[in-house]
Amino acid sequence: MPAPEHAELAIETRALRKTYRSVRGRSVGVAGLDLQVPAGGVHGFLGPNGSGKTTTIRMLLGLVRPDGGTAEIFGHEVPRELPDVVARVGAIVESPKFFPAFSARRNLRLLADGIGTPRARVDAVIDEVGLSGRAKDRYRTYSLGMKQRLAIAATLLKDPDLLIFDEPTNGLDPAGIREIRQTMRDLADRGKTVLVSSHILAEVEQIADTVSIVAGGRLVAAGRVADLLSGQGGPAVRIRVAPDDAAVAASLLGSRGMVVRQDQDALVVEGAGAAEVNRMLGEQGVWAVELAPLQADLESVFLGLTQHESPGGRTHRGGRRRWGGGSAGSHTATTGTDEATEVSA
């Protein structure tokens, strides 16, 4: 279902396409991508390495020219109208460069001078990313997480409405990941639109309001995180019974039309809730030692959408969710393409 007419879109692409030439011939980086990013909140742009995320971002920023289709940022077609909207966009696509011997504040002041931003803005963005206590320290003394937060501060100098981060937590330790995650969430809570590209679905799930999942340069699912998770596969439970009862439990539940599979010393049962499973087993004198409902996550959603891939690289047809929930139309996604010139996606 298309986005509601009243919903402003920060980013929209239609049939966006990019192919590359390499020594092995032509490869498709982005294959007719239809992408919608609502204004406001965190939008996860998700998919495995090589799925077209960085190529898409580079086309949005005018760094790569598409072969076909259209792309818009806040209603302005890019790259043709990029000068009209570039002041509203901040992005980190590759590792930013700072002077190692200069302090964070001095690095940002030089950058502010270069883009015509008042120097008073420097301390404000340093405070926004939580680096006030280390603003006088040299850049080379910073941890990877602090360097990434300084890069985010640099994108905030012109106070953009849209922030685009490509794999912002790559190489960070758990503490650094948590810091960047919180920074992105704080920016969205202040009214910014944050597009974060990542192949780590579980990480983005913790902060994203909406997501688009891509594979092979095509969209395979999109929508609100809660809608995607609630619409996958119905109820499921993990149950553990006495070892001698495991075969009986699996046979009984399977005979009632449920999907049952072994998971180490437990059974995963799809197609019924915990109370129903417990009742059916209890009626036959089989009692659960452990019983817990299972909730889908973005990783399981993605795997469910792409697991039926054929050797030719075509996947099964499945529902594609659009904004506002509702029923989905059929689509075919292509996976397994080679993005020869992408940097990090």
Side-chain angles (χ1 to χ4, degrees), residues 9 12 71 118 120 146 170 174 178 216 243 260 264 272 316:
L9 295 176
E12 182 174 21
M146 293 172 64
N170 267 1
R178 185 173 62 251
V260 183
Q264 298 180 352
H316 72 299

Side-chain angles (χ1 to χ4, degrees), residues 253-300:
L253 296 172
S255 69
R256 302 292 180 88
M258 300 173 195
V259 177
V260 183
R261 58 183 172 84
Q262 192 75 34
D263 181 19
Q264 298 180 352
D265 63 343
L267 299 174
V268 173
V269 183
E270 299 176 4
E276 185 179 1
V277 169
N278 196 38
R279 177 183 56 78
M280 284 189 290
L281 292 179
E283 289 174 350
Q284 301 301 316
V286 179
W287 305 105
V289 176
E290 176 186 330
L291 181 63
L294 297 179
Q295 169 137 16
D297 55 22
L298 283 178
E299 184 175 0
S300 65

Side-chain angles (χ1 to χ4, degrees), residues 218-234:
R218 290 183 186 272
L219 184 73
V220 295
R224 300 176 181 88
V225 172
D227 292 342
L228 285 175
L229 298 185
S230 65
Q232 295 298 314

Side-chain angles (χ1 to χ4, degrees), residues 39-260:
V42 177
H43 186 90
F45 188 33
L46 309 177
N49 288 333
S51 60
K53 302 186 305 295
T54 293
T55 294
T56 299
I57 288 173
R58 293 174 72 85
M59 285 191 283
L60 289 170
L61 298 175
L63 302 175
V64 171
R65 184 171 292 276
D67 300 330
T70 61
E72 294 181 356
I73 296 178
F74 293 120
H76 294 269
E77 185 178 344
V78 294
R80 185 171 61 88
E81 298 177 5
L82 188 58
D84 298 330
V85 75
V86 70
R88 300 180 66 185
V89 182
I92 303 175
V93 180
E94 298 176 354
S95 298
K97 305 299 182 184
F98 293 102
F99 292 104
F102 290 0
S103 69
R105 180 176 285 115
R106 187 176 180 188
N107 268 295
L108 291 184
R109 282 179 174 174
L110 289 172
L111 183 57
D113 291 344
I115 63 175
T117 297
R119 283 194 170 189
R121 179 74 181 145
V122 170
D123 285 336
V125 299
I126 287 176
D127 183 61
E128 280 189 72
V129 299
L131 288 176
S132 297
R134 298 290 302 273
K136 296 180 180 179
D137 294 349
R138 294 182 180 183
Y139 177 75
R140 66 185 175 203
T141 69
Y142 275 19
S143 67
L144 285 176
M146 293 172 64
K147 289 177 179 178
Q148 194 70 334
R149 279 192 283 161
L150 184 63
I152 293 174
T155 69
L156 294 173
L157 282 172
K158 54 185 179 180
D159 196 21
D161 298 310
L162 170 65
L163 293 139
I164 300 175
F165 301 137
D166 188 20
E167 303 282 0
T169 59
N170 267 1
L172 300 185
D173 60 17
I177 291 173
R178 185 173 62 251
E179 291 171 357
I180 299 303
R181 187 173 66 214
Q182 187 59 52
T183 298
M184 290 189 292
R185 187 65 256 174
D186 289 345
L187 290 169
D189 290 343
R190 291 199 292 270
K192 307 293 186 184
T193 302
V194 179
L195 174 69
V196 54
S197 163
S198 179
H199 66 281
I200 307 175
L201 282 71
E203 179 63 32
V204 176
E205 183 181 344
Q206 299 183 56
I207 60 168
D209 303 295
T210 55
V211 295
S212 294
I213 301 176
V214 294
R218 290 183 186 272
L219 184 73
V220 295
R224 300 176 181 88
V225 172
D227 292 342
L228 285 175
L229 298 185
S230 65
Q232 295 298 314
V237 297
R238 186 178 189 273
I239 185 168
R240 188 162 60 88
V241 297
D244 292 343
D245 291 334
V248 174
S251 176
L252 172 64
L253 296 172
S255 69
R256 302 292 180 88
M258 300 173 195
V259 177
V260 183

Side-chain angles (χ1 to χ4, degrees), residues 320-339:
R320 181 176 72 192
R321 293 182 177 273
R322 304 290 281 181
W323 304 116
S327 61
S330 295
H331 78 293
T332 303
T334 305
T335 60
T337 56
D338 174 25
E339 291 188 73

